[in-house]
Amino acid sequence: MKTKSLLLGSIAMLSMSATTGYALDGAPYIHDPSTIIKCDGRYYTFGTGGGGLISEDGWTWKGGAVRPGGGAAPDAIKIGDRYLVAYSATGGGLGGGHAGRVLTMWNKTLDPNSPDFEFSEPIEVAHSLDDEDCDAIDAGLLLDPTTGRLWLSYGTYFGFIRIVELDPATGKRVEGNEPVDVAIDCEATDLIYRNGWYYLLGTHGTCCDGPNSTYNIVVGRSRNVTGPYLDNMGRDMKQGGGKMVIAAGNRNTGPGHFGRYIEDDGVEKMSFHYEADFDRGGRSVLAIRPLLWKNDWPVAGELFKEGTYEIESERRGYALELGVDFVRMNVPRHRFWDEPEGPVEPIASQTLADVIDTWPEGNIDVRIGDYMFRPHQRWTITAVPEAGGYLGGQYYKIVIEGTDRALATTPDAEVVTVPEFTGAPEQLWRIEQLTDGTYRIMPKSVPGVDEELVLVSAADSTPSLAKFDMNSDNSKWNFHDR
């Protein structure tokens, strides 16, 4: 029967792709991207040279963002109902020297097709001379959530990284405010605040050399926005300190230009570019990764990879499984106090063929139980490219290994498995790593329900759907390949 067939070809394909990491879809080509910002349901980021990228869902990106002024390495932030963009004119050796200027400008919207789209005249907020010990380029903006004060970091390897205060009402530099030196040996900095700490994220290494670029992102932190910024070993960033956040990997080199996006309580993303994506001809591309926090230090999370997993509830450590009868393994049993006679032979694991004829043919409920690597507990998770995505990720189907039996939501906001995956929205799942390293599993749609719900462990043995709560282990899951 179709619902009980062994899809061995599919298993082979999945095993081949189990270690594949996914780049963003579309045409995410950009250099020095600004922090991703959302405006009227769309995501925007701007880059060096003017313009930038737009995405409807955060997964598929295309050109079309508009930023006048050209120049380099912009950043963007929303303040009230307006958007402030900071960018650099020359500097960084782009004009043949290190004389540069950082400018700011406002807009009511980032949508270039809106009748309200009009950038204000740019205002200079910092500058540098050719022989100065700073290079006014690579703007980074922070609106302090504790004080409402606005700060700008800027600079490159050519001297110091500096911080200066801006007026959040005008975007101008606060009168009489003098820049403060906070770091050396990095560039493309950004400032963020969390849990009483200010963090300075800088880009270390060499840029603009494609697959030979050594860019990586480092961080220091301080209790004061103007520093000193120390790394995990107590080294001052003014003396070259910095804790690694992300380096090259997965056929991508040169991560730089950090940006933080808070999607939800406990769900954060970091944006940046790779200097060279080997699978896209060595082009510079936008990248998005989960942002984790470990001992109050930012850590780059992992991109979720296709594969076959135990889906483990953080609540108790039990596993998500089909609600079917447990089938015992009929193998010889030995008294543990007897010495073995002859060679000890391994026993084979229970297979799908051993048990599938005992399963019902229609919908089967799911439950949570002790993990024993049995067929009713092993879930194959595969991306569904045609389903689109969300910020930094794509939707997945979750099926019992070797079958097409799919995890799905029901109109009464519960979960069940259906005999066949059809691609319906209630059978699609977003899987996002949380700031503590666990995951939330969220359906694309729940029939007849408008609010966002996630898979939860309502009790030790009961999976359900409910609102996400970062403070409850009920909302958190882990994936194990074992």
Side-chain angles (χ1 to χ4, degrees):
M1 297 179 65
K2 185 175 182 181
T3 57
K4 296 185 179 181
S5 61
L6 306 184
L7 306 181
L8 298 179
S10 298
I11 295 173
M13 292 178 62
L14 285 166
S15 65
M16 293 170 56
S17 64
T19 58
T20 302
Y22 289 97
L24 296 174
D25 198 18
Y29 304 114
I30 197 169
H31 201 257
D32 306 336
S34 64
T35 300
I36 290 173
I37 195 165
K38 198 172 187 179
C39 174
D40 296 331
R42 288 180 167 183
Y43 298 95
Y44 293 81
T45 183
F46 302 99
T48 288
L53 303 176
I54 301 175
S55 177
E56 299 287 344
D57 59 6
W59 171 247
T60 301
W61 293 81
K62 62 182 181 180
V66 175
R67 176 184 66 82
D75 200 16
I77 190 172
K78 186 177 184 181
I79 301 178
D81 59 355
R82 296 185 300 165
Y83 300 87
L84 181 67
V85 175
Y87 68 100
S88 304
T90 65
L94 296 177
H98 296 278
R101 300 185 301 149
V102 179
L103 304 103
T104 62
M105 55 186 179
W106 295 92
N107 206 327
K108 293 181 180 179
T109 178
L110 299 179
D111 180 1
N113 297 315
S114 169
D116 294 326
F117 182 83
E118 183 178 4
F119 275 103
S120 63
E121 287 297 316
I123 300 168
E124 181 182 303
V125 294
H127 70 270
S128 61
L129 304 175
D130 270 327
D131 58 353
E132 194 172 341
D133 58 356
C134 179
D135 191 335
I137 196 173
D138 291 356
L141 295 167
L142 168 67
L143 184 66
D144 190 333
T146 67
T147 65
R149 296 170 73 178
L150 179 63
W151 300 92
L152 168 78
S153 64
Y154 63 94
T156 68
Y157 276 95
F158 190 77
F160 289 100
I161 301 298
R162 289 179 171 164
I163 292 177
V164 68
E165 186 175 3
L166 306 183
D167 184 338
T170 65
K172 297 179 180 179
R173 183 163 157 180
V174 171
E175 188 173 351
N177 182 258
E178 294 297 326
V180 178
D181 297 336
V182 292
I184 61 168
D185 201 24
C186 63
E187 59 191 24
T189 56
D190 195 34
L191 289 164
I192 63 176
Y193 174 86
R194 183 181 184 271
N195 284 356
W197 290 101
Y198 295 91
Y199 296 85
L200 180 67
L201 285 295
T203 307
H204 175 79
T206 61
C207 92
C208 312
D209 194 14
N212 302 301
S213 299
T214 65
Y215 254 6
N216 54 78
I217 298 175
V218 298
V219 64
R221 69 185 184 186
S222 174
R223 292 295 188 184
N224 300 300
V225 68
T226 53
Y229 285 91
L230 309 181
D231 67 13
N232 58 313
M233 299 304 296
R235 297 171 297 180
D236 195 321
M237 292 186 75
K238 281 203 296 186
Q239 298 175 349
K243 182 182 187 297
M244 183 71 72
V245 176
I246 187 171
N250 298 319
R251 292 180 50 79
N252 290 278
T253 58
H257 284 261
F258 173 94
R260 178 194 189 196
Y261 187 96
I262 301 176
E263 187 171 352
D264 202 346
D265 178 29
V267 188
E268 299 187 15
K269 307 290 173 71
M270 57 177 283
S271 63
F272 55 99
H273 76 227
Y274 281 116
E275 289 277 338
D277 180 340
F278 281 39
D279 294 326
R280 279 188 160 114
R283 297 278 301 271
S284 179
V285 297
L286 178 67
I288 301 172
R289 290 277 285 271
L291 179 59
L292 281 54
W293 291 91
K294 183 178 181 180
N295 299 324
D296 276 330
W297 287 101
V299 177
E302 295 297 326
L303 296 173
F304 188 82
K305 295 180 176 63
E306 293 180 325
T308 297
Y309 298 97
E310 171 206 357
I311 302 178
E312 178 195 78
S313 168
E314 181 75 0
R315 173 188 170 106
R316 177 72 182 259
Y318 287 166
L320 189 71
E321 63 182 28
L322 286 185
V324 294
D325 291 338
F326 182 80
V327 178
R328 296 180 57 82
M329 297 178 63
N330 294 318
V331 297
R333 298 183 64 188
H334 306 279
R335 295 180 297 186
F336 58 83
W337 57 84
D338 287 343
E339 291 290 331
E341 297 180 1
V344 175
E345 299 291 337
I347 64 172
S349 298
Q350 190 178 74
T351 68
L352 182 63
D354 294 332
V355 299
I356 195 169
D357 288 334
T358 70
W359 295 355
E361 295 184 4
N363 290 356
I364 301 177
D365 291 337
V366 290
R367 66 188 178 212
I368 304 172
D370 295 289
Y371 185 67
M372 298 180 67
F373 53 93
R374 299 299 178 90
H376 68 291
Q377 299 175 313
R378 292 180 55 78
W379 302 88
T380 295
I381 303 175
T382 314
V384 185
E386 62 272 19
Y390 44 92
L391 185 61
Q394 55 190 323
Y395 285 103
Y396 296 88
K397 67 175 181 178
I398 303 176
V399 303
I400 288 292
E401 182 184 22
T403 78
D404 207 26
R405 176 169 292 280
L407 189 67
T409 65
T410 68
D412 55 353
E414 297 294 342
V415 285
V416 70
T417 64
V418 295
E420 184 175 4
F421 176 77
T422 65
E426 63 269 20
Q427 300 175 9
L428 299 170
W429 300 86
R430 59 190 288 176
I431 301 173
E432 294 178 293
Q433 195 171 28
L434 306 177
T435 53
D436 64 3
T438 61
Y439 290 81
R440 74 173 180 181
I441 305 172
M442 179 185 295
K444 184 174 185 179
S445 176
V446 180
V449 179
D450 293 331
E451 61 183 343
E452 290 187 337
L453 301 177
V454 300
L455 182 66
V456 300
S457 179
D460 286 350
S461 61
T462 308
S464 186
L465 297 172
K467 290 184 178 180
F468 175 67
D469 182 0
M470 181 61 187
N471 296 315
S472 171
D473 285 350
N474 287 344
S475 297
K476 301 175 182 179
W477 301 85
N478 298 293
F479 296 86
H480 300 294
D481 181 10
R482 57 188 182 193

